[in-house]
Amino acid sequence: MKLARSIGVTALAALFAGLVTACSSNPQLEGNLGIKDAPDWVNKGTQVLNDKGGHLIHGVGMAPAMNDFSLQQSTADDRARAEVARVLNSFMHVVSQDYTASAGTGQDQQSEQSMSRQIQNITDQNVSGARILTHWPNPKDGSLWSVAELDLNQVKDMVANSKDMNTAFRDYFAAHADNLFDSMPKGDKK
């Protein structure tokens, strides 16, 4: 039984790795962009990190040159948060799939839809709380880059305090989120 569960967790981690890679397929945000004089976070793009600061998701967004700087900055910030949302949504999906498999529940369609809505609400709430760390204006083309950060602890707190969330899923998330996050492909340590 433990071997089957271990194989299941490994398979889900591999699936998640593929999802994270797919989430980063936007050509303007792929890692190793090689933009000369750009900060490392610009060239590395969206990634997950495990460092002294915790388990982090960094989303990188870019807005092209615009006449309105305020609009350009909010566009870059929104795109950075959207990158965080894609990674977080994929992570939450993997956790829910792992929970369903480990619980051995043949959840009916209505129950799965309810959990899916709850997970989407958690994702939306967390992304709105993702903080913008910094910006970088590219002097060569006038584009503006933003990086947003979301800490897994924030997500864990939100799940733990969600009154609508399935209690068994909340408990499962609290017990396994860190391990599943640790199995994700990581960027360089800070």
Side-chain angles (χ1 to χ4, degrees):
M1 183 71 171
K2 283 189 174 193
L3 177 61
R5 181 164 165 17
S6 176
I7 292 171
V9 169
T10 302
L12 285 171
L15 171 66
F16 185 73
L19 289 171
V20 169
T21 302
C23 289
S24 298
S25 63
N26 184 341
Q28 69 182 8
L29 299 177
E30 286 183 13
N32 300 322
L33 290 176
I35 299 174
K36 187 175 169 118
D37 299 324
D40 286 343
W41 61 265
V42 169
N43 284 317
K44 289 179 182 175
T46 297
Q47 60 183 321
V48 293
L49 302 164
N50 188 5
D51 70 1
K52 295 177 231 163
H55 295 100
L56 308 171
I57 299 171
H58 279 186
V60 177
M62 185 274 290
M66 297 180 185
N67 291 332
D68 183 344
F69 179 75
S70 178
L71 177 61
Q72 184 184 26
Q73 183 170 333
S74 66
T75 300
D77 292 353
D78 288 346
R79 289 177 178 175
R81 285 188 181 101
E83 286 293 302
V84 169
R86 279 197 282 270
V87 174
L88 179 59
N89 195 30
S90 295
F91 174 69
M92 294 298 289
H93 179 73
V94 167
V95 174
S96 70
Q97 293 286 333
D98 192 46
Y99 162 73
T100 302
S102 73
T105 62
Q107 291 183 334
D108 59 25
Q109 187 174 3
Q110 186 176 12
S111 177
E112 282 185 29
Q113 288 174 347
S114 174
M115 184 178 287
S116 179
R117 279 191 304 273
Q118 292 166 357
I119 287 172
Q120 188 59 51
N121 287 340
I122 293 290
T123 300
D124 292 345
Q125 291 172 18
N126 275 288
V127 168
S128 68
R131 66 186 183 113
I132 300 298
L133 296 178
T134 192
H135 298 94
W136 178 70
N138 186 339
K140 291 185 178 141
D141 65 7
S143 61
L144 182 69
W145 296 76
S146 295
V147 59
E149 178 180 87
L150 181 66
D151 190 320
L152 183 62
N153 286 330
Q154 180 180 336
V155 179
K156 288 167 52 178
D157 289 344
M158 186 134 338
V159 169
N161 294 317
S162 174
K163 304 286 186 225
D164 297 330
M165 184 63 70
N166 173 310
T167 304
F169 178 79
R170 267 195 323 236
D171 295 343
Y172 185 86
F173 189 85
H176 298 283
D178 287 318
N179 290 337
L180 289 170
F181 194 93
D182 286 339
S183 68
M184 294 169 47
K186 303 292 184 288
D188 295 337
K189 299 201 186 278
K190 288 183 174 177

PDB file of all heavy atoms in Angstrom, residues 5 8-9 12 92 94-103 115 156 159 165-180:
ATOM      1  N   ARG A   5       1.233   4.112  -2.964  1.00  0.00           N
ATOM      2  CA  ARG A   5       1.045   5.535  -2.676  1.00  0.00           C
ATOM      3  C   ARG A   5       2.285   6.319  -3.089  1.00  0.00           C
ATOM      4  O   ARG A   5       2.194   7.391  -3.669  1.00  0.00           O
ATOM      5  CB  ARG A   5       0.766   5.736  -1.185  1.00  0.00           C
ATOM      6  CG  ARG A   5       0.534   7.194  -0.851  1.00  0.00           C
ATOM      7  CD  ARG A   5      -0.110   7.357   0.478  1.00  0.00           C
ATOM      8  NE  ARG A   5      -0.123   8.620   1.096  1.00  0.00           N
ATOM      9  CZ  ARG A   5       0.081   9.819   0.600  1.00  0.00           C
ATOM     10  NH1 ARG A   5       0.368   9.951  -0.645  1.00  0.00           N
ATOM     11  NH2 ARG A   5       0.011  10.903   1.312  1.00  0.00           N
ATOM     12  N   GLY A   8       2.302   6.679  -6.705  1.00  0.00           N
ATOM     13  CA  GLY A   8       1.285   7.660  -7.070  1.00  0.00           C
ATOM     14  C   GLY A   8       1.768   9.079  -6.850  1.00  0.00           C
ATOM     15  O   GLY A   8       1.576   9.961  -7.692  1.00  0.00           O
ATOM     16  N   VAL A   9       2.410   9.339  -5.721  1.00  0.00           N
ATOM     17  CA  VAL A   9       2.928  10.676  -5.429  1.00  0.00           C
ATOM     18  C   VAL A   9       4.009  11.043  -6.432  1.00  0.00           C
ATOM     19  O   VAL A   9       4.048  12.162  -6.943  1.00  0.00           O
ATOM     20  CB  VAL A   9       3.462  10.762  -3.973  1.00  0.00           C
ATOM     21  CG1 VAL A   9       4.230  12.048  -3.756  1.00  0.00           C
ATOM     22  CG2 VAL A   9       2.319  10.663  -2.980  1.00  0.00           C
ATOM     23  N   LEU A  12       2.377  11.878  -9.739  1.00  0.00           N
ATOM     24  CA  LEU A  12       1.739  13.186  -9.688  1.00  0.00           C
ATOM     25  C   LEU A  12       2.767  14.305  -9.699  1.00  0.00           C
ATOM     26  O   LEU A  12       2.555  15.354 -10.320  1.00  0.00           O
ATOM     27  CB  LEU A  12       0.843  13.289  -8.453  1.00  0.00           C
ATOM     28  CG  LEU A  12      -0.466  12.507  -8.562  1.00  0.00           C
ATOM     29  CD1 LEU A  12      -1.179  12.484  -7.218  1.00  0.00           C
ATOM     30  CD2 LEU A  12      -1.357  13.104  -9.624  1.00  0.00           C
ATOM     31  N   MET A  92      -2.486  23.301  -6.987  1.00  0.00           N
ATOM     32  CA  MET A  92      -3.706  22.933  -6.258  1.00  0.00           C
ATOM     33  C   MET A  92      -4.391  21.752  -6.932  1.00  0.00           C
ATOM     34  O   MET A  92      -4.945  20.876  -6.260  1.00  0.00           O
ATOM     35  CB  MET A  92      -4.652  24.128  -6.152  1.00  0.00           C
ATOM     36  CG  MET A  92      -4.119  25.265  -5.295  1.00  0.00           C
ATOM     37  SD  MET A  92      -3.829  24.822  -3.571  1.00  0.00           S
ATOM     38  CE  MET A  92      -5.502  24.657  -2.978  1.00  0.00           C
ATOM     39  N   VAL A  94      -2.894  19.322  -8.595  1.00  0.00           N
ATOM     40  CA  VAL A  94      -2.109  18.136  -8.251  1.00  0.00           C
ATOM     41  C   VAL A  94      -2.413  17.688  -6.825  1.00  0.00           C
ATOM     42  O   VAL A  94      -2.601  16.500  -6.571  1.00  0.00           O
ATOM     43  CB  VAL A  94      -0.596  18.394  -8.436  1.00  0.00           C
ATOM     44  CG1 VAL A  94       0.244  17.297  -7.798  1.00  0.00           C
ATOM     45  CG2 VAL A  94      -0.267  18.507  -9.911  1.00  0.00           C
ATOM     46  N   VAL A  95      -2.489  18.635  -5.895  1.00  0.00           N
ATOM     47  CA  VAL A  95      -2.800  18.284  -4.504  1.00  0.00           C
ATOM     48  C   VAL A  95      -4.179  17.642  -4.423  1.00  0.00           C
ATOM     49  O   VAL A  95      -4.358  16.624  -3.750  1.00  0.00           O
ATOM     50  CB  VAL A  95      -2.714  19.515  -3.572  1.00  0.00           C
ATOM     51  CG1 VAL A  95      -3.184  19.161  -2.166  1.00  0.00           C
ATOM     52  CG2 VAL A  95      -1.290  20.052  -3.520  1.00  0.00           C
ATOM     53  N   SER A  96      -5.163  18.194  -5.129  1.00  0.00           N
ATOM     54  CA  SER A  96      -6.509  17.620  -5.065  1.00  0.00           C
ATOM     55  C   SER A  96      -6.553  16.232  -5.705  1.00  0.00           C
ATOM     56  O   SER A  96      -7.240  15.340  -5.203  1.00  0.00           O
ATOM     57  CB  SER A  96      -7.535  18.551  -5.703  1.00  0.00           C
ATOM     58  OG  SER A  96      -7.374  18.626  -7.097  1.00  0.00           O
ATOM     59  N   GLN A  97      -5.810  16.027  -6.789  1.00  0.00           N
ATOM     60  CA  GLN A  97      -5.743  14.705  -7.420  1.00  0.00           C
ATOM     61  C   GLN A  97      -5.091  13.703  -6.473  1.00  0.00           C
ATOM     62  O   GLN A  97      -5.543  12.567  -6.340  1.00  0.00           O
ATOM     63  CB  GLN A  97      -4.954  14.774  -8.733  1.00  0.00           C
ATOM     64  CG  GLN A  97      -5.615  15.571  -9.816  1.00  0.00           C
ATOM     65  CD  GLN A  97      -6.793  14.849 -10.423  1.00  0.00           C
ATOM     66  OE1 GLN A  97      -6.863  13.633 -10.437  1.00  0.00           O
ATOM     67  NE2 GLN A  97      -7.737  15.613 -10.924  1.00  0.00           N
ATOM     68  N   ASP A  98      -4.019  14.120  -5.809  1.00  0.00           N
ATOM     69  CA  ASP A  98      -3.333  13.258  -4.858  1.00  0.00           C
ATOM     70  C   ASP A  98      -4.245  12.928  -3.684  1.00  0.00           C
ATOM     71  O   ASP A  98      -4.299  11.789  -3.226  1.00  0.00           O
ATOM     72  CB  ASP A  98      -2.047  13.933  -4.371  1.00  0.00           C
ATOM     73  CG  ASP A  98      -1.138  12.987  -3.614  1.00  0.00           C
ATOM     74  OD1 ASP A  98      -0.932  11.858  -4.095  1.00  0.00           O
ATOM     75  OD2 ASP A  98      -0.637  13.378  -2.541  1.00  0.00           O
ATOM     76  N   TYR A  99      -4.977  13.931  -3.210  1.00  0.00           N
ATOM     77  CA  TYR A  99      -5.921  13.717  -2.109  1.00  0.00           C
ATOM     78  C   TYR A  99      -6.992  12.697  -2.511  1.00  0.00           C
ATOM     79  O   TYR A  99      -7.273  11.753  -1.772  1.00  0.00           O
ATOM     80  CB  TYR A  99      -6.580  15.039  -1.712  1.00  0.00           C
ATOM     81  CG  TYR A  99      -7.839  14.845  -0.907  1.00  0.00           C
ATOM     82  CD1 TYR A  99      -7.788  14.420   0.419  1.00  0.00           C
ATOM     83  CD2 TYR A  99      -9.089  15.063  -1.481  1.00  0.00           C
ATOM     84  CE1 TYR A  99      -8.945  14.220   1.149  1.00  0.00           C
ATOM     85  CE2 TYR A  99     -10.242  14.866  -0.760  1.00  0.00           C
ATOM     86  CZ  TYR A  99     -10.170  14.445   0.554  1.00  0.00           C
ATOM     87  OH  TYR A  99     -11.319  14.249   1.274  1.00  0.00           O
ATOM     88  N   THR A 100      -7.566  12.878  -3.679  1.00  0.00           N
ATOM     89  CA  THR A 100      -8.611  11.970  -4.150  1.00  0.00           C
ATOM     90  C   THR A 100      -8.081  10.548  -4.271  1.00  0.00           C
ATOM     91  O   THR A 100      -8.732   9.596  -3.858  1.00  0.00           O
ATOM     92  CB  THR A 100      -9.172  12.447  -5.507  1.00  0.00           C
ATOM     93  OG1 THR A 100      -9.676  13.775  -5.348  1.00  0.00           O
ATOM     94  CG2 THR A 100     -10.273  11.541  -5.997  1.00  0.00           C
ATOM     95  N   ALA A 101      -6.866  10.402  -4.805  1.00  0.00           N
ATOM     96  CA  ALA A 101      -6.267   9.077  -4.959  1.00  0.00           C
ATOM     97  C   ALA A 101      -5.964   8.447  -3.604  1.00  0.00           C
ATOM     98  O   ALA A 101      -6.215   7.255  -3.391  1.00  0.00           O
ATOM     99  CB  ALA A 101      -4.994   9.163  -5.791  1.00  0.00           C
ATOM    100  N   SER A 102      -5.435   9.229  -2.672  1.00  0.00           N
ATOM    101  CA  SER A 102      -5.055   8.658  -1.377  1.00  0.00           C
ATOM    102  C   SER A 102      -6.261   8.368  -0.505  1.00  0.00           C
ATOM    103  O   SER A 102      -6.246   7.437   0.289  1.00  0.00           O
ATOM    104  CB  SER A 102      -4.099   9.590  -0.634  1.00  0.00           C
ATOM    105  OG  SER A 102      -4.783  10.712  -0.152  1.00  0.00           O
ATOM    106  N   ALA A 103      -7.306   9.166  -0.664  1.00  0.00           N
ATOM    107  CA  ALA A 103      -8.506   8.951   0.141  1.00  0.00           C
ATOM    108  C   ALA A 103      -9.294   7.761  -0.377  1.00  0.00           C
ATOM    109  O   ALA A 103     -10.139   7.226   0.333  1.00  0.00           O
ATOM    110  CB  ALA A 103      -9.369  10.208   0.143  1.00  0.00           C
ATOM    111  N   MET A 115     -15.352  20.896  -5.028  1.00  0.00           N
ATOM    112  CA  MET A 115     -13.957  21.060  -4.621  1.00  0.00           C
ATOM    113  C   MET A 115     -13.214  21.920  -5.623  1.00  0.00           C
ATOM    114  O   MET A 115     -12.417  22.773  -5.245  1.00  0.00           O
ATOM    115  CB  MET A 115     -13.253  19.716  -4.459  1.00  0.00           C
ATOM    116  CG  MET A 115     -11.818  19.870  -3.947  1.00  0.00           C
ATOM    117  SD  MET A 115     -10.970  18.333  -3.690  1.00  0.00           S
ATOM    118  CE  MET A 115     -11.811  17.762  -2.219  1.00  0.00           C
ATOM    119  N   LYS A 156      -1.379  27.973   2.548  1.00  0.00           N
ATOM    120  CA  LYS A 156      -1.736  27.035   3.619  1.00  0.00           C
ATOM    121  C   LYS A 156      -2.658  27.690   4.639  1.00  0.00           C
ATOM    122  O   LYS A 156      -3.637  27.075   5.088  1.00  0.00           O
ATOM    123  CB  LYS A 156      -0.468  26.494   4.281  1.00  0.00           C
ATOM    124  CG  LYS A 156       0.283  25.516   3.398  1.00  0.00           C
ATOM    125  CD  LYS A 156       1.676  25.192   3.849  1.00  0.00           C
ATOM    126  CE  LYS A 156       1.824  24.751   5.250  1.00  0.00           C
ATOM    127  NZ  LYS A 156       3.214  24.410   5.598  1.00  0.00           N
ATOM    128  N   VAL A 159      -6.178  28.016   3.080  1.00  0.00           N
ATOM    129  CA  VAL A 159      -6.874  26.723   3.033  1.00  0.00           C
ATOM    130  C   VAL A 159      -7.326  26.340   4.441  1.00  0.00           C
ATOM    131  O   VAL A 159      -8.464  25.920   4.648  1.00  0.00           O
ATOM    132  CB  VAL A 159      -5.984  25.626   2.410  1.00  0.00           C
ATOM    133  CG1 VAL A 159      -6.598  24.250   2.595  1.00  0.00           C
ATOM    134  CG2 VAL A 159      -5.762  25.903   0.926  1.00  0.00           C
ATOM    135  N   MET A 165     -14.207  24.810   2.605  1.00  0.00           N
ATOM    136  CA  MET A 165     -13.366  23.728   2.099  1.00  0.00           C
ATOM    137  C   MET A 165     -13.671  22.419   2.821  1.00  0.00           C
ATOM    138  O   MET A 165     -13.880  22.410   4.028  1.00  0.00           O
ATOM    139  CB  MET A 165     -11.885  24.103   2.267  1.00  0.00           C
ATOM    140  CG  MET A 165     -10.889  23.114   1.695  1.00  0.00           C
ATOM    141  SD  MET A 165     -10.989  22.904  -0.084  1.00  0.00           S
ATOM    142  CE  MET A 165     -10.380  24.464  -0.667  1.00  0.00           C
ATOM    143  N   ASN A 166     -13.659  21.353   2.066  1.00  0.00           N
ATOM    144  CA  ASN A 166     -13.815  20.005   2.608  1.00  0.00           C
ATOM    145  C   ASN A 166     -12.798  19.802   3.735  1.00  0.00           C
ATOM    146  O   ASN A 166     -11.598  20.011   3.536  1.00  0.00           O
ATOM    147  CB  ASN A 166     -13.597  19.021   1.455  1.00  0.00           C
ATOM    148  CG  ASN A 166     -13.561  17.584   1.867  1.00  0.00           C
ATOM    149  OD1 ASN A 166     -12.851  17.200   2.786  1.00  0.00           O
ATOM    150  ND2 ASN A 166     -14.323  16.781   1.158  1.00  0.00           N
ATOM    151  N   THR A 167     -13.281  19.410   4.917  1.00  0.00           N
ATOM    152  CA  THR A 167     -12.412  19.273   6.091  1.00  0.00           C
ATOM    153  C   THR A 167     -11.294  18.266   5.859  1.00  0.00           C
ATOM    154  O   THR A 167     -10.136  18.506   6.221  1.00  0.00           O
ATOM    155  CB  THR A 167     -13.236  18.851   7.330  1.00  0.00           C
ATOM    156  OG1 THR A 167     -14.269  19.814   7.518  1.00  0.00           O
ATOM    157  CG2 THR A 167     -12.386  18.776   8.569  1.00  0.00           C
ATOM    158  N   ALA A 168     -11.614  17.135   5.246  1.00  0.00           N
ATOM    159  CA  ALA A 168     -10.593  16.115   4.989  1.00  0.00           C
ATOM    160  C   ALA A 168      -9.535  16.649   4.031  1.00  0.00           C
ATOM    161  O   ALA A 168      -8.342  16.387   4.200  1.00  0.00           O
ATOM    162  CB  ALA A 168     -11.234  14.845   4.438  1.00  0.00           C
ATOM    163  N   PHE A 169      -9.960  17.428   3.016  1.00  0.00           N
ATOM    164  CA  PHE A 169      -8.990  18.013   2.096  1.00  0.00           C
ATOM    165  C   PHE A 169      -8.118  19.034   2.819  1.00  0.00           C
ATOM    166  O   PHE A 169      -6.908  19.076   2.607  1.00  0.00           O
ATOM    167  CB  PHE A 169      -9.673  18.673   0.891  1.00  0.00           C
ATOM    168  CG  PHE A 169      -8.687  19.329  -0.042  1.00  0.00           C
ATOM    169  CD1 PHE A 169      -7.957  18.562  -0.942  1.00  0.00           C
ATOM    170  CD2 PHE A 169      -8.455  20.701  -0.001  1.00  0.00           C
ATOM    171  CE1 PHE A 169      -7.023  19.153  -1.791  1.00  0.00           C
ATOM    172  CE2 PHE A 169      -7.528  21.301  -0.845  1.00  0.00           C
ATOM    173  CZ  PHE A 169      -6.818  20.521  -1.735  1.00  0.00           C
ATOM    174  N   ARG A 170      -8.717  19.861   3.685  1.00  0.00           N
ATOM    175  CA  ARG A 170      -7.932  20.836   4.454  1.00  0.00           C
ATOM    176  C   ARG A 170      -6.846  20.146   5.259  1.00  0.00           C
ATOM    177  O   ARG A 170      -5.703  20.582   5.284  1.00  0.00           O
ATOM    178  CB  ARG A 170      -8.844  21.613   5.416  1.00  0.00           C
ATOM    179  CG  ARG A 170      -9.379  22.881   4.876  1.00  0.00           C
ATOM    180  CD  ARG A 170      -9.954  23.746   5.963  1.00  0.00           C
ATOM    181  NE  ARG A 170     -10.651  23.032   7.007  1.00  0.00           N
ATOM    182  CZ  ARG A 170     -11.902  23.252   7.377  1.00  0.00           C
ATOM    183  NH1 ARG A 170     -12.598  24.183   6.781  1.00  0.00           N
ATOM    184  NH2 ARG A 170     -12.437  22.572   8.344  1.00  0.00           N
ATOM    185  N   ASP A 171      -7.217  19.046   5.928  1.00  0.00           N
ATOM    186  CA  ASP A 171      -6.250  18.295   6.729  1.00  0.00           C
ATOM    187  C   ASP A 171      -5.162  17.692   5.845  1.00  0.00           C
ATOM    188  O   ASP A 171      -3.981  17.722   6.182  1.00  0.00           O
ATOM    189  CB  ASP A 171      -6.945  17.188   7.536  1.00  0.00           C
ATOM    190  CG  ASP A 171      -7.897  17.741   8.586  1.00  0.00           C
ATOM    191  OD1 ASP A 171      -7.797  18.947   8.924  1.00  0.00           O
ATOM    192  OD2 ASP A 171      -8.755  16.972   9.059  1.00  0.00           O
ATOM    193  N   TYR A 172      -5.572  17.144   4.704  1.00  0.00           N
ATOM    194  CA  TYR A 172      -4.611  16.551   3.770  1.00  0.00           C
ATOM    195  C   TYR A 172      -3.649  17.609   3.250  1.00  0.00           C
ATOM    196  O   TYR A 172      -2.438  17.407   3.192  1.00  0.00           O
ATOM    197  CB  TYR A 172      -5.350  15.878   2.604  1.00  0.00           C
ATOM    198  CG  TYR A 172      -4.409  15.153   1.688  1.00  0.00           C
ATOM    199  CD1 TYR A 172      -4.033  13.835   1.960  1.00  0.00           C
ATOM    200  CD2 TYR A 172      -3.859  15.774   0.571  1.00  0.00           C
ATOM    201  CE1 TYR A 172      -3.137  13.171   1.140  1.00  0.00           C
ATOM    202  CE2 TYR A 172      -2.969  15.115  -0.251  1.00  0.00           C
ATOM    203  CZ  TYR A 172      -2.611  13.809   0.040  1.00  0.00           C
ATOM    204  OH  TYR A 172      -1.721  13.162  -0.761  1.00  0.00           O
ATOM    205  N   PHE A 173      -4.181  18.775   2.899  1.00  0.00           N
ATOM    206  CA  PHE A 173      -3.356  19.861   2.379  1.00  0.00           C
ATOM    207  C   PHE A 173      -2.330  20.300   3.423  1.00  0.00           C
ATOM    208  O   PHE A 173      -1.149  20.469   3.109  1.00  0.00           O
ATOM    209  CB  PHE A 173      -4.235  21.043   1.958  1.00  0.00           C
ATOM    210  CG  PHE A 173      -3.487  22.108   1.215  1.00  0.00           C
ATOM    211  CD1 PHE A 173      -3.287  22.008  -0.149  1.00  0.00           C
ATOM    212  CD2 PHE A 173      -2.971  23.206   1.875  1.00  0.00           C
ATOM    213  CE1 PHE A 173      -2.583  22.977  -0.845  1.00  0.00           C
ATOM    214  CE2 PHE A 173      -2.266  24.186   1.196  1.00  0.00           C
ATOM    215  CZ  PHE A 173      -2.077  24.078  -0.165  1.00  0.00           C
ATOM    216  N   ALA A 174      -2.780  20.455   4.666  1.00  0.00           N
ATOM    217  CA  ALA A 174      -1.874  20.874   5.742  1.00  0.00           C
ATOM    218  C   ALA A 174      -0.743  19.868   5.930  1.00  0.00           C
ATOM    219  O   ALA A 174       0.404  20.254   6.163  1.00  0.00           O
ATOM    220  CB  ALA A 174      -2.644  21.051   7.048  1.00  0.00           C
ATOM    221  N   ALA A 175      -1.057  18.588   5.788  1.00  0.00           N
ATOM    222  CA  ALA A 175      -0.060  17.540   6.028  1.00  0.00           C
ATOM    223  C   ALA A 175       0.880  17.310   4.845  1.00  0.00           C
ATOM    224  O   ALA A 175       2.025  16.900   5.037  1.00  0.00           O
ATOM    225  CB  ALA A 175      -0.771  16.232   6.379  1.00  0.00           C
ATOM    226  N   HIS A 176       0.422  17.571   3.614  1.00  0.00           N
ATOM    227  CA  HIS A 176       1.196  17.149   2.435  1.00  0.00           C
ATOM    228  C   HIS A 176       1.644  18.272   1.495  1.00  0.00           C
ATOM    229  O   HIS A 176       2.437  18.015   0.581  1.00  0.00           O
ATOM    230  CB  HIS A 176       0.392  16.121   1.634  1.00  0.00           C
ATOM    231  CG  HIS A 176       0.093  14.882   2.399  1.00  0.00           C
ATOM    232  ND1 HIS A 176       1.025  13.901   2.618  1.00  0.00           N
ATOM    233  CD2 HIS A 176      -1.045  14.483   3.032  1.00  0.00           C
ATOM    234  CE1 HIS A 176       0.489  12.941   3.346  1.00  0.00           C
ATOM    235  NE2 HIS A 176      -0.770  13.265   3.616  1.00  0.00           N
ATOM    236  N   ALA A 177       1.152  19.484   1.676  1.00  0.00           N
ATOM    237  CA  ALA A 177       1.477  20.559   0.725  1.00  0.00           C
ATOM    238  C   ALA A 177       2.977  20.802   0.619  1.00  0.00           C
ATOM    239  O   ALA A 177       3.510  20.942  -0.487  1.00  0.00           O
ATOM    240  CB  ALA A 177       0.754  21.843   1.107  1.00  0.00           C
ATOM    241  N   ASP A 178       3.670  20.833   1.764  1.00  0.00           N
ATOM    242  CA  ASP A 178       5.116  21.093   1.718  1.00  0.00           C
ATOM    243  C   ASP A 178       5.854  20.006   0.949  1.00  0.00           C
ATOM    244  O   ASP A 178       6.746  20.307   0.142  1.00  0.00           O
ATOM    245  CB  ASP A 178       5.689  21.208   3.132  1.00  0.00           C
ATOM    246  CG  ASP A 178       5.303  22.509   3.811  1.00  0.00           C
ATOM    247  OD1 ASP A 178       5.344  23.559   3.146  1.00  0.00           O
ATOM    248  OD2 ASP A 178       4.961  22.470   5.009  1.00  0.00           O
ATOM    249  N   ASN A 179       5.507  18.741   1.186  1.00  0.00           N
ATOM    250  CA  ASN A 179       6.184  17.641   0.485  1.00  0.00           C
ATOM    251  C   ASN A 179       5.927  17.682  -1.010  1.00  0.00           C
ATOM    252  O   ASN A 179       6.843  17.448  -1.812  1.00  0.00           O
ATOM    253  CB  ASN A 179       5.754  16.290   1.056  1.00  0.00           C
ATOM    254  CG  ASN A 179       6.286  16.066   2.445  1.00  0.00           C
ATOM    255  OD1 ASN A 179       7.276  16.664   2.852  1.00  0.00           O
ATOM    256  ND2 ASN A 179       5.628  15.202   3.192  1.00  0.00           N
ATOM    257  N   LEU A 180       4.690  17.977  -1.402  1.00  0.00           N
ATOM    258  CA  LEU A 180       4.393  18.061  -2.829  1.00  0.00           C
ATOM    259  C   LEU A 180       5.105  19.257  -3.456  1.00  0.00           C
ATOM    260  O   LEU A 180       5.606  19.173  -4.572  1.00  0.00           O
ATOM    261  CB  LEU A 180       2.883  18.139  -3.054  1.00  0.00           C
ATOM    262  CG  LEU A 180       2.131  16.842  -2.772  1.00  0.00           C
ATOM    263  CD1 LEU A 180       0.622  17.072  -2.789  1.00  0.00           C
ATOM    264  CD2 LEU A 180       2.510  15.762  -3.780  1.00  0.00           C
TER     265      LEU A 180
END
